[in-house]
Amino acid sequence: MNTLARYNAADLPVLMKRINEYSIGMDDYLERIFGHFNETNPNYPPYNLIQVSNVESRLEIALAGFKKEELNVYTEYGKLFIEGQKESKESDTNYVHKGLAQRSFKRAWTMADDTEVADVSFEDGLLSVNLKKIVPDHHKRKDYL
């Protein structure tokens, strides 16, 4: 008789290995769901994710001190990547307190298959990425009367 095994969050890598051993063709699917648990997700830069409507979201990222030329926003393999490259300048400035991070970063978010980037804007140190859900014609509202 089989015994039931218990797993907790610390056992996730072992559990994923066991699931992968007995699954065929699900590697990509499982990686998209559980892959982010293995990544370190820094808190920099701070961001907001706003649900504008049932088909539209907005990602706002605070990037004080960055210029538009220092930013790169792109999608690849179902992920949204945002990178900021800050040149490190050696200066003779004697800081009493240095609270503005202004360091290079790379952040990634997994997007659903039916989500696309509608537009990207950068104004006053705030990067806004508007995301739209693609609704197929047979799911869109149709008024007949």
Side-chain angles (χ1 to χ4, degrees), residues 28-44:
D28 185 48
Y29 177 74
L30 294 171
E31 180 63 29
R32 288 187 71 189
I33 293 174
F34 297 108
H36 68 279
F37 289 116
N38 297 330
E39 299 173 1
T40 58
N41 200 3
N43 292 328
Y44 180 78

Side-chain angles (χ1 to χ4, degrees), residues 21-64:
E21 287 174 359
Y22 298 105
S23 63
I24 297 172
M26 295 186 62
D27 301 342
D28 185 48
Y29 177 74
L30 294 171
E31 180 63 29
R32 288 187 71 189
I33 293 174
F34 297 108
H36 68 279
F37 289 116
N38 297 330
E39 299 173 1
T40 58
N41 200 3
N43 292 328
Y44 180 78
Y47 69 93
N48 294 327
L49 183 57
I50 302 163
Q51 187 74 36
V52 177
S53 69
N54 62 344
V55 294
E56 188 177 351
S57 305
R58 184 172 56 249
L59 178 64
E60 295 178 336
I61 304 172
L63 297 171

Side-chain angles (χ1 to χ4, degrees), residues 17 27 29 34 43 66 76 79 81 86 114 121 133:
K17 184 176 184 238
D27 301 342
Y29 177 74
F34 297 108
N43 292 328
F66 277 85
E76 184 175 45
K79 286 191 172 190
F81 293 93
K86 202 69 168 153
D114 62 351
S121 62
K133 186 177 247 189

Side-chain angles (χ1 to χ4, degrees), residues 50-104:
I50 302 163
Q51 187 74 36
V52 177
S53 69
N54 62 344
V55 294
E56 188 177 351
S57 305
R58 184 172 56 249
L59 178 64
E60 295 178 336
I61 304 172
L63 297 171
F66 277 85
K67 296 178 186 151
K68 191 174 186 177
E69 299 81 32
E70 298 171 328
L71 299 174
N72 190 14
V73 180
Y74 62 96
T75 55
E76 184 175 45
Y77 293 109
K79 286 191 172 190
L80 169 65
F81 293 93
I82 299 178
E83 298 176 350
Q85 291 293 356
K86 202 69 168 153
E87 294 178 20
S88 61
K89 298 184 253 181
E90 293 297 323
S91 67
D92 295 332
T93 307
N94 185 15
Y95 289 98
V96 174
H97 172 73
K98 189 172 182 182
L100 299 177
Q102 294 187 358
R103 60 184 180 262
S104 296

